[in-house]
Amino acid sequence: MTTAAQNASSARPPFIGTNVPRTDGASKVTGRAAYVDDLPHEPGELFGATVRSPVPRARLRGITLDPAFDWSDVTVVRASDLAVNEVQCISAEQPILAADQIRHAYEPVVLLACADKRKLAQAVRAVKLDLEPLTPVLDPEQSFAKVDVIWGEDNVHKRFSITKGRADLPDPAGSAAAIEAAIASCEIVVRGRYTTHHQEQLYIEPQGVIARWDDKGVHVTGSLQCPYYVHKALVHGFDLAADRVHVTQAVTGGGFGGKEEYPSVIALHAALLAQKSGKPVRMIYDRKEDIEATTKRHPAICEITSGCDRDGTLRALSIRILMDGGAYMTLTPVVLSRGALHAAGVYRWDDVRIDAIAVATNTPPNGAFRGFGAPQTIWAIERHLDRVAEELGRDPMDLKAQNMLREGDTTATGQTLRGSVGVAECVDKALTASGYHDKRKAAPVVRGRVARGIGASVFMHGAGFTGSGEKHLKGRVAVDLLPGGRLRIRTASTDIGQGTETVFRQIAADAAGVRLEDVDFAVPSTSYVPDSGPTVASRTVMVVGGIVERAAREVAARVRAEQEASGGEFTAAADRLLTKEREVTALVQYEHPGWVTWDDSTYKGDAYPVYGYACDVAEVEVDLDTLEVTVTGFWSATDVGKAIHPVMCKGQIEGGSLQAIGWALWEDVVWKNGLIQNPRMTNYIIPTALDAPPMHVDLVEAPYAYGPGGGAKGVGELPMDGGAPAIAAAVEHATGIFARDLPLLPERLLELQTTRKGFGAKGAEGDPKPQALKG
Amino acid sequence: MKITLTLNGRSREVDLPPLVRLLDALRGPLGLPGTKEGCGEGECGSCTVLLDGEPVNACLVSIGQCEGRAVTTVEGLSDATHLGPLARCFVDHGGAQCGICTPGMLISAEALLARRPDPSDEEIREAIAGNLCRCTGYQRIVDSIREAARERAGGAA
């Protein structure tokens, strides 16, 4: 592989399916790659800082600048300085700076800038906020009960339902009664309540931007996923014409969703300071501020009741999902939507009712994080089916395999799966590679005080925007012909580590029949790249890569037409064409396959054009004294349609799986009265190389007819979905402890073991069924 | 205060208060922004450099402590035209994704291979346990370091 990789870039196509060296690799391993805080300081540049609320809810009565402090060289921006005080996202109800109400701890109130970093830190302490604390609403159930209204009329960010079969009735009460009746008529009924917690993205490079103004308008360069989201927020926030806002991505040190919508906030802040001071402003969060103030994964509560036949055939499903949106809406409706659309799992159900609700609390807004609502609901449905299997005396994976969606089956939204359903092969490969069946049958192995167990999960993840999202979005890319027969890709899809710029080059080089080194990738800047849509939703390769392919093919076809007309090499023909036409560019817009239909009002139809599928297997050791869990091996077989770059594709799966393992076992945002108690890497624990198990990834390729490069589907988010339930199943196999709530901290497991709540509970919270500890 | 140190093999002098963090001295007056800051408290390892051959967190070392000593940063592992073998293995085997942890990771790996030319996977994981990566799941970093060790031993030229 080494030799192939070394020689690949100067080789001839095809590049798709080969492991070419990542094109930004050399700059990253030599330290030359310029992340935002590596960019040279501009003359006169100031540092920016934010004064934040120390309480979760309060009336803001006033702001005092300490008169003893020298403010002469400090720029100060307050809400009262702003013409528009709205962060434009899905809604615009989040203020750029709190004006009179504090709705969450760490809410920004005052912005400061100063050339001297040390003085800036003192200035932050010299701002006094006059706050009248109010009782915060911190619990989503309490918020939903409307004990106190903190957002809108009823605290509800979004509510909708998905119905199928007998529950498909327009009246919510009628639908609820119908699903209850459908479940009651089943031979086996199982209930459960499953919860998940916050998770911090913890990209290793904190959020940061540099903003400056000149006669062309405002310029923001930063660590970000979605240049056009920031662009839109700046256009709105400064009431500027679109061509007076210029947003450029610096090399970005990880995002995972955390740099999807949040960069709009820090960009607005830095731009406000730059506007008022007339100087460039650099705003880089330190780790504590980043953990405290920026978005996290939505916590969720899922209550499930299901009915099935005694032979294991799943029949009817009712789920109530309650997500905690935090203080402002941000992307919550879409997160809830994706969560609900994945809540039925990868299974056939005749009758379904999913009641999905997201509410506000006085906590920092939750937002995008890899998986985007799906890991929460997949945790619930996978754990629930483990319970159903126990009830039936079956192995969970046998029960799941019996009910898995096949081509031609319909999902909870009534979508008929048209192909590219590789889930059965995933299950087969992962279970075989891990030795799952033998290890399950052998029962948990106990040696001394260590018990070993194995568990699995199976799941799917919709690729691309939900429903009609891609139709509204109309993502575009441009491919230009450059002298010497070179191509340049212009797209707003960013490389945040996942490898966009390399795989787009592979796709374009193959489509055009040129060498990889003849394809350039323009730095994503809204000044010269078209809006390809955001870098989110497992859409970059499948959706945007598809239009890169079309655009490159179109440009190459024009060169080849010139070649046929007047002869010569590709490069000579390209130069002739450029001389004649001056500009040779293909600007291509995404078109959804014609058969995709979706109704936003009823939540019916093709929720996603296609799904990625996977089966994860975790093998664990549980220390029976401390109940600490060690993952000793992790297997995943993942259907990606077609791997454009197998090494990077596996890299996505391994990295996403470890984030899932971290979420399952260690990562826990600890709250007290609305404040985060562990906003540091010292006590917010992500896995190290020693915590991470050896990973064994198999790629399954069930091609998607409309995907680029021979059928690629999205893979970015999928691997976040299945790790937690696989680990919980393995812990259960090892110890008999059935966990419903994440994370699986030793103290939680101990409580379950002590109270026996974890043993084969039947009711929503219990009916403990006494049973000896297995092994 | 004037401080003289050997930086990536060259003698350099800086005039700084001695308590300035080595990290800030490197990224600022010494002009080497390859060393990254991820947490500022010695947890993430992104700012790992070699101080007299030992890996240290440059956010926890003051420039004053570097007087008369040798500091190696990521910029010292490759020359202008060629990637060092370890760096190249990271590119070829998927050891770098977003790249922000990569400079520190390479330094820790370099320190390991200097004292242990043929490490086991467990030893590799132990050696990089102080370097947090949020992208890769570590598997391909372990693979990259193992391959670099093999190449250095003459397994592949």
Side-chain angles (χ1 to χ4, degrees), chain B residues 85-157:
Chain B
L86 183 61
R88 191 171 41 71
C89 282
F90 267 62
V91 177
D92 284 352
H93 298 278
Q97 287 191 23
C98 87
I100 197 81
C101 77
T102 307
M105 198 68 81
L106 286 166
I107 291 287
S108 290
E110 182 68 31
L112 169 69
L113 296 183
R115 72 183 155 76
R116 192 105 180 102
D118 183 23
S120 66
D121 281 11
E122 201 53 31
E123 287 169 321
I124 294 174
R125 286 180 182 270
E126 178 80 43
I128 59 168
N131 296 83
L132 295 176
C133 166
R134 192 59 156 166
C135 292
T136 62
Y138 300 105
Q139 184 63 54
R140 273 158 218 286
I141 294 176
V142 173
D143 294 349
S144 301
I145 296 170
R146 191 195 314 111
E147 184 59 24
R150 204 176 66 85
E151 287 190 24
R152 282 188 184 192

Side-chain angles (χ1 to χ4, degrees), chain A residues 73-147:
Chain A
D73 57 348
V74 180
T75 303
V76 183
V77 174
R78 285 170 265 218
S80 55
D81 297 318
L82 274 56
V84 178
N85 191 5
E86 296 171 348
V87 180
Q88 177 67 53
C89 194
I90 287 177
S91 74
E93 100 286 15
Q94 180 177 8
I96 297 170
L97 292 172
D100 48 10
Q101 294 291 324
I102 299 296
R103 293 189 176 84
H104 66 86
Y106 322 114
E107 184 159 16
V109 183
V110 180
L111 302 170
L112 303 173
C114 180
D116 177 348
K117 232 178 181 174
R118 197 172 295 179
K119 181 168 179 186
L120 181 63
Q122 292 163 352
V124 169
R125 291 191 290 273
V127 176
K128 301 287 171 237
L129 305 181
D130 180 9
L131 298 168
E132 179 194 334
L134 302 169
T135 306
V137 176
L138 301 172
D139 172 48
E141 290 285 14
Q142 194 199 350
S143 173
F144 186 60
K146 231 169 83 171
V147 176

